[in-house]
Amino acid sequence: MVEAVLIDLFSLPANLQNNIPGLLLNTLETIEKCSSIPAPFVYVMCCQRQENGEQESLLPALRNLQSLKKRLQVVHALTTAAALYTIKQRLDEKDLSIIKVILPTLRKDLVKVYIDHLFTAVYQFEFEDLQVASDCKNLQIAEPRSEEQMVPTQDVAVILSEIQMYLESLPSLNGELTILRSSLIPDDIFLHGFTTRTGGISYIPTLSSCNLFSSSKRRDPQVVVKENLRRIAKAAGFNPETFHRVKTDHANAVCITGKTEPDSYDGIVTNQKGVTIAAPGADCIPVLFADPVRKACGAAHSGWKGTLLGVSMATVNAMVSEYGCNVKDILVVLGPSVGPCCYKLPHESAKEFHQIDPKCVRLFDSACPYIDIRRATRILLENGGILPENIRDDSVTDQNQNVTFCTACHPDKFYSHFRDGNNFGTQIGFISIRD
Ligand SMILES: *[C@@H]1O[C@H](CO)[C@@H](O)[C@H](O)[C@H]1NC(C)=O
């Protein structure tokens, strides 16, 4: 069932520009007549230059359309990217996702490119042609006539850069961009940080505002995540073009930069200067590794499964075998993650943490005991030869050095899967070797 109708009047032929209200009224009447649902939300996108006066002259005409007029919004913008993104925000406010797009045949392939980049698989689009009748006064809606055409690569590039420039122009939401750093990692050799959720452009409540992961199941498209990352990179001083994030799988494979990339991996290591490697977390621990002696670094994504599978030690081992690091030189920082105050797992999984150390589990006899994935990570690292004082986690008493905040306890600062449900956003930990 169509939940919203989008009419694209962005680039009508010049001879029709003067009669937009008339054409629109005519189109709306047609929608009203043939729509199976009573008055879905209708959005009309128009080019900015038509703004002055047009909307007012439109309104009397719309009086006749009793049911539609409350649900009709005309969006004027300078570019198609701006108009579509504005409409996306209105759709998202109402949680709408099934959209019928009515547009001139010639615009269809182009608009599809915009839609592919600005929306995700959460949304479903259907298209109908808007045709100009032979008397040039009416618009008609018709089944799509033409076969889909490939948009030339250079046109796609122009569209992408229009989208990118528009997103770059948007203000930061929910406060300043904030990056947490640990004093353990020497700043003259490494550039590193843990992101928080403020200062990006994601506007959907659970993703707001510095979401750094795009999924086909969520409403933030890649281009928005890319813009958030661009802002982080600018603030932190790294190059987003040489940014390499783990492809999470909740297991313990490790990618060595410059070598064959595994299909998925939760750890990554590098000794290449200027390559920024990163691991996400939204309760799971983003763990950063730095060896100032051999000048190598690593990042790991350690949720409860990855922790049990030893992803942190797998990352350490890769640094040792690939770059000749000495375990005793490796510094490890555990980033913001769900704390033992909040995190519970079913008894079966709790048992495995209990085996690592009974101190990793609280209320072990209950159905859903509390789990300390950070402590388990520390114990496994210490067992592997990492010096206890070379690990920074929530046991660090100095509040200025303690970056291991609980993600679930701080909804204003961090995303949390556990707290926010399936539509959760993601922060990252990142590190690189300075040039
Ligand atoms: C470190 O910070 C976390 C998060 O604020 C807190 O839960 C923990 O108690 C702190 N550790 C110490 C030893 O103060």
Side-chain angles (χ1 to χ4, degrees), residues 394-397 399 402 404-406 410:
D394 57 356
S395 66
V396 174
T397 44
Q399 282 309 313
N402 180 350
T404 319
F405 293 94
C406 175
H410 297 93

Side-chain angles (χ1 to χ4, degrees), residues 166-218:
Y166 174 68
L167 297 181
E168 279 184 25
S169 76
L170 295 175
S172 295
L173 303 174
N174 290 354
E176 296 288 298
L177 207 130
T178 309
I179 298 169
L180 304 171
R181 292 186 183 86
S182 167
S183 57
L184 181 71
I185 298 180
D187 201 39
D188 53 336
I189 304 175
F190 300 98
L191 181 154
H192 86 282
F194 297 97
T195 66
T196 65
R197 67 181 296 178
T198 56
I201 62 163
S202 304
Y203 56 81
I204 289 161
T206 54
L207 305 179
S208 174
S209 65
C210 203
N211 175 35
L212 292 171
F213 185 62
S214 171
S215 146
S216 57
K217 297 191 202 107
R218 301 202 262 285

